[in-house]
Amino acid sequence: MVRPYGDTHDDGAVQLSFTLPIAWSEAADEAARQLAVKMGLTEVSVVEGRAIAAGFSFFVVYARTPAAIEVSTIRAPSAADAPLSMEQVDDLIAKRVGRKLKVAGACIGTDAHTVGIDAILNMKGYKGDYGLERYQGFEVFNLGSQISVEDLVRFARERDVDAILASQVVTQKGSDIANFTALAELLEAENVRERLLLIAGGPRVTNLLAAELGYDAGFGRGTLPSDVATFIARRLSDAASRR
Amino acid sequence: MVRPYGDTHDDGAVQLSFTLPIAWSEAADEAARQLAVKMGLTEVSVVEGRAIAAGFSFFVVYARTPAAIEVSTIRAPSAADAPLSMEQVDDLIAKRVGRKLKVAGACIGTDAHTVGIDAILNMKGYKGDYGLERYQGFEVFNLGSQISVEDLVRFARERDVDAILASQVVTQKGSDIANFTALAELLEAENVRERLLLIAGGPRVTNLLAAELGYDAGFGRGTLPSDVATFIARRLSDAASRR
Amino acid sequence: MELRIDQNAVAGARSLAAAIVDPIVDFVAGHSTLSVERAVTRLCGVDGVDGEGVPLPNRLVDALARPGLGVARALGAALAETGRSPQQVAEAVAAGEPLPDPERTPEGALRAALRSHVDAGLARIDAARGTRDAMLARLPQDEPPLLYVIVASGNIYEDRTAAVAAAEAGAQIIAVIRSTAQSLLDYVPYGATTEGFGGTYATQENFRIMRAALDEISERLGRYVMLTNYASGLCMPEIAATAALERLDMLLNDSMYGILFRDINMQRTFVDQHFSRQLNARSGIVINTGEDNYLTTADAVEQAPAVLASQFVNEAFARRAGLPDAQMGLGDAYEIDPDLRDGFLLQVAQAQLARQIFPNAPLKYMPPTKHMTGNIFKGHLIDAMFNLTSVMTHQTIHLCGMLTEAIHTPFLGDRALALENARYVMNTARSFGDEIEIKPGGRIEQRAHEVLSGAVHILSGVAQRGLMNAIEDGTFADVRRPRDGGRGYDGVFVKEAAYWNPFADALGGVTVRA
Amino acid sequence: MELRIDQNAVAGARSLAAAIVDPIVDFVAGHSTLSVERAVTRLCGVDGVDGEGVPLPNRLVDALARPGLGVARALGAALAETGRSPQQVAEAVAAGEPLPDPERTPEGALRAALRSHVDAGLARIDAARGTRDAMLARLPQDEPPLLYVIVASGNIYEDRTAAVAAAEAGAQIIAVIRSTAQSLLDYVPYGATTEGFGGTYATQENFRIMRAALDEISERLGRYVMLTNYASGLCMPEIAATAALERLDMLLNDSMYGILFRDINMQRTFVDQHFSRQLNARSGIVINTGEDNYLTTADAVEQAPAVLASQFVNEAFARRAGLPDAQMGLGDAYEIDPDLRDGFLLQVAQAQLARQIFPNAPLKYMPPTKHMTGNIFKGHLIDAMFNLTSVMTHQTIHLCGMLTEAIHTPFLGDRALALENARYVMNTARSFGDEIEIKPGGRIEQRAHEVLSGAVHILSGVAQRGLMNAIEDGTFADVRRPRDGGRGYDGVFVKEAAYWNPFADALGGVTVRA
Ligand code: B12
Ligand code: B12
Ligand SMILES: Cc1ncc(COP(=O)(O)O)c(C=O)c1O
Ligand SMILES: Cc1ncc(COP(=O)(O)O)c(C=O)c1O
């Protein structure tokens, strides 16, 4: 079992901050303390409490949590395991698939944050790691921003793509989940889900979340193009050899 | 009922950070998420997770808490209410007590942080507010640092002081609570508790905590000398007139 | 602190920018757009929506048989014929009545019929400006950099709470961020709104609600708190008109942002932008240009010359629209990779360069965004270095960075921390920039030279090919936009000889080449 | 970045400091202390505790009939008489055996008997120094400012975890903070300890545990990670001896800290300090002086001249003990009220002034502490401005400030954030100080002049009255300390003519006035 670590094993130390919609006074500090206690924390120390506007106070709290986690049971395999080099990926595709893999990427819904998906797809790549357009093994269609789920699915069917790469950066009011879900459902409804790899990406995406949403993989912050290339190449070359 | 406020009333938004004694991986992020869930938080977003050393990872989390507080029921009267000016305090003492009040201050236990108690007692004061030595109405004994509870109580008895001002700045391992308690108990044991005002101070002290420890008042961060002077003068002039 | 800069290069860049802009302004002079015309109706007092929620200005302008004559002509004719007010005419059109043929009404009569409404519109603008001037005199702002924060809850009432709280925490300018992609709507939404997405709709009623709240807090704090919103997009002229009427103090308005970053047709944008700026000039609204966008999408070290080139172009356009220097909030941003060794020197060089090249412009300095991460602690520090650069180089409009930039639109508490950050840094180092000098010939000065000559290089390329060709070729932000592609192209039309826009006439600015 | 400073004033301050220090060093030459003698026994190999936990060096020295002759004489005599080792002699004394009368043994014999032990002690010191030099050559440190963090859990094993983690996060120097008031103990605790209070006991075993862990991580990281601890206090010479043996790299050692801030007798402190520094000189240990303490207890703007005066005094004492400039980590701190307008300018002035006055000293720069509050977000920013000042003014030893300074001794995560803060700021603004100049005659330079002339004023007052009188009068830190008051006075004694301390003789330094 693992607990937060302040300066001693298992001390459970955590830092918290929040705003309460009340004017500051000593009673406000006490309210903050009681709130932390209600959150199950112990040894609560309200180290800062002050008015930040009329009727609003800001607090910094240090406390201990009794919560602990059995880390050994946590299963969160990364989709970005043991990435291959561009040459290795191209080699794998050439030998085991024998043709270029077609991938279509887009920012779906009203999301216009293309920098992330561009980082994965564009020739230039990200942090010195080349993008998928540079690979011999991929034919890349970058559809850009604000692509409706319908348009993306239509495109994927028309071009018979091997993988869809959907990006979501805006997460406000759960819009990312809504859009990802809509995409997966439409693919099911149109009976193409089985024919392609479905990949989600964005700063708040995890592989676990993607799996829950019915995706083959999810890539989060800091993803490199080669992580994604490796995943696609491995999966599809396995599939090819199984056929 | 009041809940933390992010950008919408009652959204319950809180920020958290902590270290876990595990190496970083996607599974570590997931452990952090599960820990926050165990703490009763919802919509948990692990916005940052990274290795800070071999076997240690640091996390920043935003989430919502369902906890809420009924602020109207919180009783935390400040000891520093409606402070008087130095002239008013002196006047009050002169008219209602008719003699100088004797106060003895000290950093008790092994605590050597005298800056706080000096700020209250020394002529010079704090943030432009004069210290008690400057008042006509007080005779001040500043015993300094690392004063044992026994020495302080002996001094108080010998000089027959009207108020004891005990300071605790170091709080590690609960040493402040232990020292404050020892002082209150020794005063009781020696039957002098009733004869004097017992006041606690220090950055982690609240009036509520002081009351729990059997003190007449507690003063925390940002206390001004006039807050303390007013409290003593009011209490002791009331007591004088009741006699 | 002064950079020694090549004044010939600066003068050269200015005349290149003028040469780039002049043909576009000539083009603009011959064209109008649906949004320009809708703005005219709004200034004449048309407001409200029909049963389906379509704004009456849209209904009215869409009903024009010959838009090339301008809506004013049709409206004036209708007034003359019916004796109605512009609002009544619009309501009638929305109810299905056709507009009269303007040719039927004699020129003098239709102009006369509209006169009082045009005057009333201009008078409201002037009154708003007068009120602003009076309030600023009575409730002076704190010294610049003026701390600017955004509110973006999607709900105008939560935004109001947030704005008032921010003002109390030291904000001097409040921006209400618009709901996602409002810039792509070819109409201005109506009424008080509570359902925005990543921001709150820009509507006249929302402007009013916010201005009222800020007026109240301005009085309470004894300093005037400014309000700003976004004009760029398909409705730039209408937003400019509405903002003028409701006394906004600033507006985002860039001559190329919509084209490059929102795929709005370039002709549409240039025409809209020009009329908007004429309106801004009259209403005393400071424009904020969008050079930061070059930096959020590409490498900030490489893009620095593009930023400066764009500042020159924005300045040239603004001058042609009659906007004085004091209303040109030219943009820049602190977007260099925080982990680049000596990146701070490059930021200082660039900020100081803009300060010296545009000495009278209220420069708008945007915070780090792209390299902000979920590590709020480090983010807060990057914002601090940004704050330091801003106060050292005397930036004017300072958009405070949020430690949660990579996470969510700002919480109320985030804004308080951001303002505290700016206040602390700008106070502890208030005069630092004035007490040091830049080493002559050192790395800071060298970088400034590099950026300036890079900008001159870009501008001379653009001047040679012409701005529209350059945009088609992908000169800016690596984006190619065809001259007749993009959104809103169908809303651009050629003015007929008899075209009439009484506001454009009244506003002045230099519509035709000087 | 250079201040134009009055070099005559600097030279004047130096000679005043020498004049202040010379009579004290003369006094020191005639005296020894219990701790000096205990250090001698430790260097001869005495270690361990008796049944009640009293350290054998204490037992041995307390058993001296005539301490004025020095323990070496008694020990040499005992060795000569018994053929035992120093450790065996100490154990025997602890068991109740009396020490032989040194007069009984001829001078030559007792010196000869001790010789090999003295040589072995010096050889261990030299070997440790040699190892450090070799490791530094093989595993070079990163460029200064050298990032220094504290560990203070009270438990040496948690401290070890914390220290290794800090090294991995970029720390170059690790300080193990001592348990509260260890400086007032008249003995050095023994063994590995897990029960400290606000810090961890300084013991030889704890030194060893930490050094071993840091050696391991140094190899892993490919850069040498330094270890430091506190020498000031009643056991200054013993800590210096132990640190020399266990290869600590730095030690807190101030010529007046113990007197002013711990009420340790001044004579005791001066004598202890001198022998400690002789040892430090031999062992290559860099001292860190404690000028920061003037600032945490009083107003930092007012106290700046006192800091500089103290730096001159510490330098003068260090020179007399034979310490080269390269081992003088003179102290200063960033303690000006963060809310003072332009406070940053004053900090830069002071830091740069010290840098120029002591160009070859590895200056030690301490972080903001007094004005840190529970507002960790603001605290992190104050630390950033401190980090910036440090890199701009080329400080050498940089104690990283913690955002939780006002709350608790650092958590492991706090330390990582503090190091990240320093790394970020020092990288993004690495050369900034070299690329700017201070405005001649501007406010920064004026402030530097003010501080320098204030220091000269203090020093000339002290030189007139004599240092001991000045301390009695409350010249420093507003504290009055009587010459024969304070802790440890009973441990000071006059050397008899036959006094012998083979280490002092071997170590050199300038015990008698140059
Ligand atoms: C740049 C930017 C913009 C630019 C976008 C330009 C462009 N062409 O992309 C502009 C200025 C246009 C913009 C506009 C808006 N933005 Co914006 N923007 C940002 C900003 C600063 C950086 C995003 C970025 O480029 N990161 C760098 C890339 C490389 O990282 P990344 O996206 O995470 O991508 C990596 C991984 O996630 C992964 N990945 C991402 N996608 C995919 C897909 C696949 C398949 C795979 C495998 C991997 C993958 O790989 C990438 C490389 O490692 C962020 C704040 C921040 N610092 O994060 C706000 C931010 C994302 N924006 C935000 C908002 C609200 C908006 C607006 C809605 C504001 C408004 N009302 O106008 C608008 C509307 C845009 C829209 N319709 O979506 C919010 C979102 C809040 C939320 N959580 O919902 C943020 C967080 C800012 C904030 N705090 O308010 N924005
Ligand atoms: C200055 C300082 C020192 C100085 C103290 C000098 C002196 N003569 O006081 C020196 C350098 C000697 C020092 C030493 C140590 N310190 Co110290 N020190 C601080 C520091 C930086 C500032 C404290 C201060 O002066 N605050 C300013 C005053 C004005 O505020 P204040 O004390 O809160 O007082 C106000 C109110 O609380 C109130 N008040 C206070 N007392 C009283 C009493 C009464 C009766 C009333 C009415 C009001 C009142 O009124 C005051 C005015 O408003 C703090 C960190 C910080 N920023 O808080 C660490 C800090 C308190 N120190 C700490 C530690 C651990 C130590 C040491 C133990 C370290 C060591 N191992 O050597 C030593 C040992 C000292 C000892 N034996 O107690 C820790 C305590 C951790 C904890 N929570 O337990 C802190 C928090 C630093 C840290 N993060 O590690 N310290
Ligand atoms: C100049 C300018 N206008 C408008 C906007 C906002 O635009 P939109 O409503 O297109 O998202 C921005 C955003 O950064 C901008 O820079
Ligand atoms: C020079 C010096 N020595 C020692 C110490 C630590 O001392 P003590 O053990 O007395 O708390 C300090 C603390 O700041 C110091 O500055």
Side-chain angles (χ1 to χ4, degrees), chain C residues 178-503:
Chain C
R178 283 194 306 203
S179 183
T180 305
Q182 181 177 345
S183 52
L184 307 185
L185 302 182
D186 210 346
Y187 63 90
V188 178
Y190 181 76
T193 70
T194 57
E195 291 288 286
F197 191 78
T200 306
Y201 288 103
T203 72
Q204 190 160 357
E205 180 59 19
N206 286 348
F207 287 1
R208 220 175 271 139
I209 291 170
M210 198 52 95
R211 184 64 269 170
L214 292 184
D215 279 354
E216 198 186 311
I217 190 72
S218 297
E219 297 288 348
R220 187 135 53 88
L221 297 173
R223 58 178 170 78
Y224 184 68
V225 181
M226 292 184 157
L227 176 61
T228 170
N229 208 296
Y230 293 71
S232 337
L234 288 170
C235 296
M236 206 188 249
E238 289 174 271
I239 299 273
T242 315
L245 300 174
E246 302 304 336
R247 189 166 32 90
L248 266 66
D249 306 288
M250 298 186 176
L251 276 179
L252 277 268
N253 170 318
D254 190 275
S255 59
M256 298 193 285
Y257 165 83
I259 306 168
L260 302 172
F261 302 104
R262 282 289 174 265
D263 196 12
I264 294 175
N265 173 263
M266 62 173 91
Q267 303 181 30
R268 170 76 175 250
T269 296
F270 288 135
V271 176
D272 284 351
Q273 171 257 143
H274 185 77
F275 184 58
S276 310
R277 288 184 180 188
Q278 288 179 294
L279 275 169
N280 296 334
R282 175 80 172 225
S283 47
I285 286 179
V286 171
I287 63 165
N288 292 182
T289 61
E291 282 77 5
D292 54 289
N293 294 284
Y294 295 97
L295 305 175
T296 48
T297 44
D299 182 77
V301 174
E302 283 167 22
Q303 290 292 315
V307 166
L308 182 57
S310 170
Q311 290 172 327
F312 278 117
V313 169
N314 264 311
E315 179 192 51
F317 271 121
R319 288 190 167 169
R320 294 299 307 274
L323 214 64
D325 285 5
Q327 283 174 241
M328 293 182 199
L330 302 173
D332 188 6
Y334 192 94
E335 287 284 13
I336 292 175
D337 186 346
D339 295 331
L340 179 70
R341 187 168 166 128
D342 281 326
F344 177 69
L345 279 64
L346 307 189
Q347 297 285 15
V348 169
Q350 195 174 335
Q352 179 64 20
L353 181 65
R355 182 66 290 166
Q356 291 181 220
I357 292 180
F358 308 103
N360 302 314
L363 297 182
K364 160 103 178 281
Y365 204 25
M366 298 284 287
T369 63
K370 189 172 56 165
H371 293 285
M372 298 293 279
T373 68
N375 183 349
I376 55 174
F377 296 100
K378 180 162 182 189
H380 211 40
L381 303 178
I382 303 172
D383 284 337
M385 296 304 283
F386 159 66
N387 292 336
L388 179 63
T389 307
S390 186
V391 73
M392 275 172 59
T393 62
H394 296 286
Q395 303 293 307
T396 315
I397 303 168
H398 179 88
L399 203 153
C400 294
M402 298 286 143
L403 74 176
T404 51
E405 174 63 35
I407 304 167
H408 46 234
T409 51
F411 285 176
L412 195 135
D414 299 340
R415 235 177 264 112
L417 294 178
L419 286 162
E420 175 180 70
N421 186 334
R423 286 197 326 266
Y424 160 61
V425 171
M426 292 185 183
N427 185 56
T428 193
R430 172 61 64 178
S431 319
F432 184 60
D434 307 331
E435 295 294 335
I436 57 172
E437 288 174 358
I438 291 167
K439 187 167 281 183
R443 289 170 58 191
I444 298 175
E445 216 170 77
Q446 278 170 36
R447 169 66 180 171
H449 288 304
E450 216 175 275
V451 172
L452 176 56
S453 58
V456 170
H457 180 80
I458 294 173
L459 290 171
S460 59
V462 174
Q464 247 163 42
R465 271 173 305 166
L467 182 55
M468 294 215 198
N469 291 330
I471 294 174
E472 289 195 310
D473 296 351
T475 307
F476 296 98
D478 282 331
V479 182
R480 290 163 195 273
R481 301 292 187 202
R483 188 176 306 242
D484 49 8
R487 298 175 170 102
Y489 179 48
D490 47 5
V492 183
F493 48 85
V494 175
K495 290 180 188 169
E496 297 190 30
Y499 176 85
W500 181 48
N501 179 341
F503 292 99

Side-chain angles (χ1 to χ4, degrees), chain B:
Chain B
M1 297 294 275
V2 153
R3 274 206 181 72
Y5 180 107
D7 65 355
T8 307
H9 275 94
D10 279 338
D11 60 18
V14 299
Q15 172 272 328
L16 234 90
S17 76
F18 50 83
T19 301
L20 291 180
I22 53 179
W24 188 82
S25 68
E26 281 195 32
D29 280 359
E30 175 60 13
R33 197 189 64 76
Q34 291 187 17
L35 191 84
V37 170
K38 276 212 178 167
M39 291 167 71
L41 300 169
T42 62
E43 295 181 46
V44 173
S45 199
V46 178
V47 297
E48 166 83 356
R50 68 177 197 285
I52 51 172
F56 288 96
S57 301
F58 181 76
F59 302 91
V60 178
V61 171
Y62 279 82
R64 318 256 158 182
T65 174
I69 281 290
E70 184 55 71
V71 278
S72 62
T73 64
I74 290 178
R75 302 262 322 118
S78 165
D81 237 20
L84 304 173
S85 71
M86 181 167 77
E87 293 67 27
Q88 292 171 313
V89 165
D90 283 343
D91 208 49
L92 188 66
I93 297 174
K95 293 216 176 103
R96 308 266 301 271
V97 185
R99 61 170 176 87
K100 277 183 191 270
L101 293 172
K102 285 186 267 182
V103 304
C107 283
I108 60 175
T110 58
D111 205 320
H113 291 88
T114 51
V115 175
I117 183 80
D118 286 349
I120 304 298
L121 298 181
N122 284 2
M123 195 74 82
K124 184 172 156 195
Y126 190 57
K127 301 210 165 156
D129 194 76
Y130 289 128
L132 268 56
E133 290 180 351
R134 181 101 184 200
Y135 287 64
Q136 297 292 329
F138 294 112
E139 184 177 357
V140 174
F141 306 100
N142 186 345
L143 277 62
S145 78
Q146 305 198 325
I147 302 302
S148 74
V149 159
E150 292 72 23
D151 286 352
L152 177 56
V153 172
R154 185 172 326 112
F155 184 92
R157 294 183 62 149
E158 282 171 16
R159 301 297 181 106
D160 195 17
V161 306
D162 297 291
I164 288 182
L165 277 67
S167 181
Q168 288 286 266
V169 174
V170 175
T171 60
Q172 241 188 7
K173 298 186 185 155
S175 63
D176 52 338
I177 308 292
N179 289 329
F180 279 137
T181 307
L183 176 59
E185 284 175 355
L186 189 62
L187 287 167
E188 287 286 357
E190 304 228 346
N191 276 323
V192 287
R193 175 66 188 87
E194 298 305 308
R195 280 201 257 148
L196 43 76
L197 274 186
L198 182 55
I199 299 177
R204 288 290 97 72
V205 172
T206 62
N207 198 29
L208 218 62
L209 173 73
E212 277 170 31
L213 298 175
Y215 281 60
D216 294 300
F219 291 87
R221 54 192 149 79
T223 304
L224 296 179
S226 56
D227 297 333
V228 184
T230 300
F231 177 84
I232 300 175
R234 285 215 182 103
R235 275 294 187 93
L236 292 182
S237 58
D238 284 356
S241 37
R242 254 185 277 111
R243 257 177 242 141

